Amino acid sequence: KLSAGEASAYWRDEVIKSVLAHPWTYVEKYVRKTIYFLNRVEKEEHYHIGFVSNFAPVFKLPFFAFWLIFPLGMAGMLLTAGKSRKSLALLGVFFLYSATLIVFFTNARVRILLLAILIPMAVVGLMELLSYIEKKQFRKVYIFAGIVMLFAVATFVPPRGSADMTYYYNSHAFKLNSKGFEKEAIQYLQASSSREGHHSAMANVWLATIYYAKGHKEKALSYLDRIKDTSFAAVNKYETMGDIMAQEGQLD
């Protein structure tokens, strides 16, 4: 039995061992996470705005979002950090918090806190731009435009799997099933399965369980067969197959 601190220290040491054993794997991982951090893609753990827009069309409107504020806010911070201690402090807080997101956990819910810095600094940046134009300091105008363009490009680089909505189909199916709407839940699981995305494998596992319980053994096994052994859900696949065989009396 370990205390919380001892358990944390154990896993910390395991991660350090893994990083030292596979350094380039982690370099690739953190580069990918940095791309996601900078990107306009809003990844959530519960519902995605794009998914919700299927039910509430108002969310299809092009609201102001991270992709618009981020480049302007970065330009404001970078251009004023050298002459304002407040801007420099905000820039420091921004990079420290950003580093923790990239190392540990990056999604829209925790990234949104950075907008408390980016929104006012975007306004500061626009005020600086107007000042440059008024004073005819066109070199600084070009620098401002360059910074905005650099970060704007970064927000639109399409990261791998950014269009994959299968996680949200699965989550919605789970909530429907918990409310007793099994038929509708199955429809969303089938939609997830047919999209062959990253989380389609878990939809296949769930569908296999449902259909076996309904007496459709072959259909259940067909869903399990769709799961590749390289999938993160391969362990669930074999566990479910083992459960089916056990219930069929095939204990060996």
Side-chain angles (χ1 to χ4, degrees):
K1 293 182 179 180
L2 302 178
S3 68
E6 289 169 335
S8 179
Y10 170 80
W11 286 115
R12 178 202 63 209
D13 293 344
E14 289 300 303
V15 170
I16 291 172
K17 290 177 187 175
S18 181
V19 171
L20 294 175
H22 311 282
W24 290 111
T25 299
Y26 280 84
V27 168
E28 180 191 356
K29 181 188 294 288
Y30 290 126
V31 167
R32 211 180 315 142
K33 290 180 76 174
T34 301
I35 291 171
Y36 260 109
F37 168 76
L38 298 172
N39 206 265
R40 66 190 180 94
V41 172
E42 301 284 353
K43 282 289 185 182
E44 293 285 7
E45 312 110 293
H46 40 87
Y47 275 108
H48 187 281
I49 292 295
F51 184 84
V52 173
S53 69
N54 294 325
F55 310 97
V58 66
F59 289 111
K60 292 185 184 293
L61 296 174
F63 293 110
F64 289 147
F66 184 83
W67 64 266
L68 176 64
I69 303 298
F70 178 61
L72 293 173
M74 291 305 298
M77 275 192 291
L78 292 173
L79 288 172
T80 59
K83 58 183 180 181
S84 167
R85 292 181 65 185
K86 291 179 180 179
S87 292
L88 183 61
L90 286 174
L91 185 65
V93 171
F94 180 91
F95 278 109
L96 283 172
Y97 184 70
S98 300
T100 66
L101 298 190
I102 292 167
V103 170
F104 294 107
F105 197 62
T106 301
N107 77 359
R109 178 174 60 82
V110 288
R111 186 179 68 174
I112 199 171
L113 298 178
L114 289 171
L115 291 174
I117 295 174
L118 290 170
I119 290 173
M121 293 312 298
V123 176
V124 169
L126 290 173
M127 291 173 65
E128 285 289 308
L129 176 62
L130 292 175
S131 173
Y132 298 154
I133 294 172
E134 184 180 348
K135 296 176 182 178
K136 297 184 179 181
Q137 297 175 327
F138 296 115
R139 181 173 174 274
K140 291 185 178 180
V141 171
Y142 298 144
I143 293 173
F144 179 92
I147 294 172
V148 170
M149 285 294 294
L150 175 66
F151 286 103
V153 168
T155 63
F156 281 92
V157 172
R160 189 172 70 185
S162 59
D164 183 7
M165 302 290 280
T166 52
Y167 175 87
Y168 306 106
Y169 278 85
N170 293 359
S171 297
H172 191 58
F174 179 82
K175 291 177 175 64
L176 286 169
N177 192 61
S178 69
K179 298 296 182 182
F181 300 109
E182 184 187 55
K183 182 179 177 181
E184 292 84 351
I186 290 173
Q187 290 174 350
Y188 276 94
L189 289 172
Q190 289 173 334
S192 173
S193 175
S194 66
R195 280 164 172 75
E196 298 183 352
H198 183 67
H199 294 276
S200 296
M202 288 308 299
N204 290 329
V205 171
W206 196 359
L207 286 166
T209 303
I210 291 172
Y211 281 115
Y212 183 75
K214 292 179 180 293
H216 303 298
K217 177 184 174 183
E218 295 305 318
K219 194 168 186 178
L221 292 176
S222 71
Y223 275 109
L224 292 177
D225 285 341
R226 297 183 187 185
I227 304 171
K228 298 177 181 179
D229 284 355
T230 53
S231 168
F232 73 98
V235 63
N236 305 90
K237 165 187 173 178
Y238 285 109
E239 181 182 12
T240 305
M241 289 176 70
D243 290 341
I244 291 174
M245 290 175 181
Q247 292 187 52
E248 295 285 318
Q250 301 173 33
L251 297 181
D252 290 341

